[in-house]
Amino acid sequence: MQILRAQRLATRLPATVDALAAGDIDFKRALAMDDLTEVLSVEDAGRVERRVLAYGGRTNPSRFRDSIRYHVIKVDPGSAERRRVAAREERDVTYMAGEDGVGHLGAVLTAEQALAAHQQIDKLARKVKTPDRTLGQCRADVLLGMILGEQRERVRVQVNVTVPATTLMGLNERPGVLSGYGPITAEHARELAQQATWRRILTDPAGHLLEASPRRFPSPAMAEHVRLRDQTCRMPGCTTTAHRSEIDHTVRHCDQGLSSTDNLAALCKYHNLLRERSEWDICQPREGVLVFTSPEGRRYQTTPPALVG
């Protein structure tokens, strides 16, 4: 198995092998390149490889995978859409018996359905959380109540899709991005847009968000702006989605920090508390660019991923 994979990498993805040998990417990223381009021809796999590696290994492995997925869709949008339609036909709910008196219930849904369902379950679970139950146990109890008709309460959830206006107009087939999931085909984005509330978002040429406001507490629109910009908790290595994170001031309000998008960032509850209760320091030299300094003096810089590309 490993020999076959090595042969495939060497013959289909030589630039990936070179980047691995040079230390530009790690083995996990090389495997991702192999796995995600397997559906492509050798020529198209090479195009994806060159475009992704041109930006380096990325700080976060999930961003590296998302970049591959984006360019796999972009290089052959027709095939990507056919694979999506075929995969959608595999929707199902399955059961598997477990050990020690438990069973495993699984569901295969479309990406936006799965995200919306998980958000609904998670928000309701957090509302009914009690000290004697873990959050995971509350999610399981809420899900069972919803299925059996005992849980009738609903909370509002939203699923964000970022897509170029030219794609919505049918002028090209550039992929969109489903927040919390990653790249989706142009046709998928157009389907979702038909039943969506639209919001205009302006970006710079690199695909990053632009805007600001000097209020004590960020408005809902400003908080949503920061969540869409950051996509995940900004602490290096954390993959908690921005919509499950807190919007925090980089320069604290008590230190005259403004509630503006160049002084706000998404931090999950754990890393927000870590920042408040330890010697970790954060600065934001320009909007969206965060520099973290550890108690030992090590510095880590993170930038928000482009919404598209």
Side-chain angles (χ1 to χ4, degrees):
M1 181 72 175
Q2 296 300 324
I3 293 175
L4 290 175
R5 185 188 283 276
Q7 289 177 335
R8 190 165 61 244
L9 276 167
T11 55
R12 284 174 53 89
L13 302 165
T16 298
V17 176
D18 291 343
L20 179 62
D24 295 333
I25 62 172
D26 58 15
F27 187 57
K28 186 175 182 178
R29 287 169 171 79
L31 294 182
M33 186 73 77
D34 180 40
D35 290 338
L36 297 175
T37 61
E38 189 176 6
V39 296
L40 300 176
S41 67
V42 174
E43 293 76 18
D44 284 344
R47 293 188 184 96
V48 170
E49 178 186 46
R50 289 190 294 274
R51 292 170 185 174
V52 172
L53 293 179
Y55 292 93
R58 314 298 197 287
T59 302
N60 192 319
S62 64
R63 292 183 185 175
F64 187 80
R65 290 182 63 89
D66 281 350
S67 181
I68 300 171
R69 291 166 60 198
Y70 180 89
H71 287 290
V72 165
I73 294 173
K74 189 174 181 180
V75 77
D76 190 354
S79 294
E81 176 60 18
R82 287 191 291 274
R83 290 194 299 272
R84 179 186 76 89
V85 172
R88 185 178 60 189
E89 298 305 309
E90 300 300 318
R91 301 187 307 279
D92 195 5
V93 176
T94 58
Y95 167 77
M96 183 175 67
E99 302 297 331
D100 302 318
V102 300
H104 303 275
L105 188 68
V108 176
L109 307 169
T110 64
E112 71 279 4
Q113 290 171 343
L115 280 169
H118 187 268
Q119 284 186 31
Q120 182 79 230
I121 293 167
D122 186 70
K123 285 190 175 184
L124 288 172
R126 292 175 187 276
K127 290 182 67 174
V128 301
K129 175 74 172 68
T130 55
D132 60 317
R133 291 188 298 173
T134 67
L135 185 57
Q137 291 170 343
C138 290
R139 290 194 192 103
D141 295 344
V142 165
L143 174 61
L144 185 62
M146 294 172 72
I147 293 172
L148 300 182
E150 300 164 1
Q151 176 69 55
R152 300 184 182 277
E153 185 180 2
R154 291 290 184 270
V155 294
R156 184 177 180 181
V157 299
Q158 62 181 24
V159 176
N160 294 305
V161 179
T162 305
V163 59
T166 50
T167 299
L168 291 180
M169 295 167 65
L171 300 179
N172 59 48
E173 295 299 308
R174 290 185 62 186
V177 176
L178 179 60
S179 183
Y181 172 77
I184 58 175
T185 65
E187 186 59 33
H188 193 176
R190 286 191 284 263
E191 285 181 10
L192 295 177
Q194 290 176 9
Q195 305 297 326
T197 299
W198 289 26
R199 176 185 294 137
R200 186 171 68 109
I201 299 173
L202 299 179
T203 68
D204 64 19
H208 298 103
L209 284 164
L210 308 166
E211 194 180 271
S213 174
R215 294 175 53 166
R216 164 64 182 92
F217 296 105
S219 66
M222 187 182 299
E224 187 64 10
H225 167 97
V226 175
R227 292 189 178 98
L228 284 167
R229 180 195 73 194
D230 289 355
Q231 300 187 43
T232 64
C233 169
R234 294 298 302 280
M235 179 63 77
C238 185
T239 58
T240 301
T241 63
H243 282 83
R244 293 183 59 191
S245 300
E246 300 171 347
I247 303 302
D248 190 45
H249 290 76
T250 306
V251 178
R252 294 175 177 86
H253 185 263
C254 61
D255 295 329
Q256 286 72 56
L258 296 177
S259 294
S260 56
T261 53
D262 58 0
N263 191 49
L264 295 170
L267 289 175
C268 70
K269 186 172 184 179
Y270 175 83
H271 286 125
N272 200 359
L273 287 173
L274 180 69
R275 183 264 179 107
E276 295 295 331
R277 299 177 182 179
S278 72
E279 297 301 314
W280 276 90
D281 182 64
I282 308 175
C283 66
Q284 192 168 175
R286 62 182 186 276
E287 182 177 345
V289 177
L290 269 65
V291 179
F292 295 78
T293 304
S294 73
E296 296 78 22
R298 298 190 184 93
R299 289 164 61 87
Y300 306 88
Q301 178 174 302
T302 68
T303 58
L307 292 176
V308 295

